[in-house]
Amino acid sequence: MARRFAGSTATDNISFGSIAPTALRSISSWFYLDAIDSTPRRLCNWGDGAATTDIDSFFVDAAGEENTRYIARWETTGGAWSIANPSTGVWHHLIVTYDGGATTNDPIIYIDGTSQTVTEVSTPAGSLNTGSQTFKIGNRNDNVRCWDGAIAEFARWDRILSSGEIAALAKGFSPIFFDPIFYAPLIGRNSPETQPISSTTGTVTGAVVDAHPRI
């Protein structure tokens, strides 16, 4: 079973302990978005929400912005990149790969296995933030940006996924085949919400059980 997040002003989230990032990173997740409204909705957030200490996040922006964003925090100016909003009312697969080794690098963002047109919203500057921070699925760390819909099969890697891995994940292969450093299948009815390979277990607040996408 996946986990469903209530949107609106809900504090639904799955919170994990402090995790240290690397410059190379990849994210994979299945997501279902019910609607786009006046509040940006966080699929995931790594950090405490402050401008200089967040590590990265992925969210659908508020209605009228018409874009979905990935943010990587750099200590002087954080990098931000956007893609067109995905459709609502259906499961999608997301992959983000990012090489934080240089400010000139842009992420590559895939929806359902297709590379999206990425627009740079904010050019990163300074040093990449690699300090340990708390990680959350389905909300920002201050619990004011609750995802509106469902999330499943969330995974992270400290490397850039290959084209073959990206294609397989989009077709429904489990991330466990590709040695993630963090994997939260979100299939259980109780905490913890991670596989043993992860260094931290999750605490569920709200985020009720929902139908899982076919994997």
Side-chain angles (χ1 to χ4, degrees):
M1 308 301 282
R3 289 280 174 173
R4 175 160 289 275
F5 301 80
S8 186
T9 58
T11 59
D12 291 8
N13 72 88
I14 304 176
S15 179
F16 298 87
S18 187
I19 304 172
T22 61
L24 298 179
R25 54 192 72 163
S26 296
I27 298 170
S28 174
S29 182
W30 286 90
F31 69 88
Y32 188 108
L33 182 63
D34 284 339
I36 298 172
D37 59 18
S38 59
T39 301
R41 301 298 178 187
R42 285 292 203 282
L43 186 144
C44 63
N45 193 87
W46 197 353
D48 61 6
T52 58
T53 53
D54 264 4
I55 296 170
D56 65 9
S57 63
F58 185 87
F59 64 96
V60 176
D61 216 337
E65 297 295 333
E66 305 304 330
N67 60 64
T68 291
R69 297 191 184 194
Y70 170 73
I71 292 176
R73 186 62 61 191
W74 292 68
E75 292 180 356
T76 301
T77 304
W81 300 265
S82 71
I83 62 171
N85 282 338
S87 57
T88 59
V90 65
W91 280 103
H92 290 289
H93 185 260
L94 163 75
I95 291 180
V96 179
T97 66
Y98 182 61
D99 180 357
T103 56
T104 53
N105 293 338
D106 292 331
I108 303 175
I109 302 175
Y110 303 83
I111 299 293
D112 300 329
T114 300
S115 180
Q116 304 295 293
T117 299
V118 174
T119 301
E120 187 175 80
V121 178
S122 175
T123 302
S127 299
L128 184 70
N129 188 343
T130 55
S132 295
Q133 292 288 342
T134 301
F135 181 71
K136 281 193 176 182
I137 294 174
N139 216 324
R140 201 168 72 175
N141 251 1
D142 53 4
N143 292 332
V144 297
R145 297 287 188 268
C146 186
W147 184 254
D148 186 8
I151 301 172
E153 297 294 318
F154 193 98
R156 300 192 69 104
W157 292 260
D158 58 0
R159 60 183 178 85
I160 304 299
L161 294 172
S162 71
S163 59
E165 290 170 326
I166 290 167
L169 288 164
K171 289 177 181 178
F173 276 74
S174 168
I176 201 71
F177 285 103
F178 307 113
D179 299 320
I181 61 166
F182 176 94
Y183 175 40
L186 309 186
I187 58 176
R189 293 183 179 273
N190 301 291
S191 298
E193 287 285 338
T194 54
Q195 291 283 7
I197 56 171
S198 302
S199 60
T200 178
T201 56
T203 299
V204 179
T205 301
V208 298
V209 170
D210 198 19
H212 204 76
R214 186 175 180 180
I215 302 299

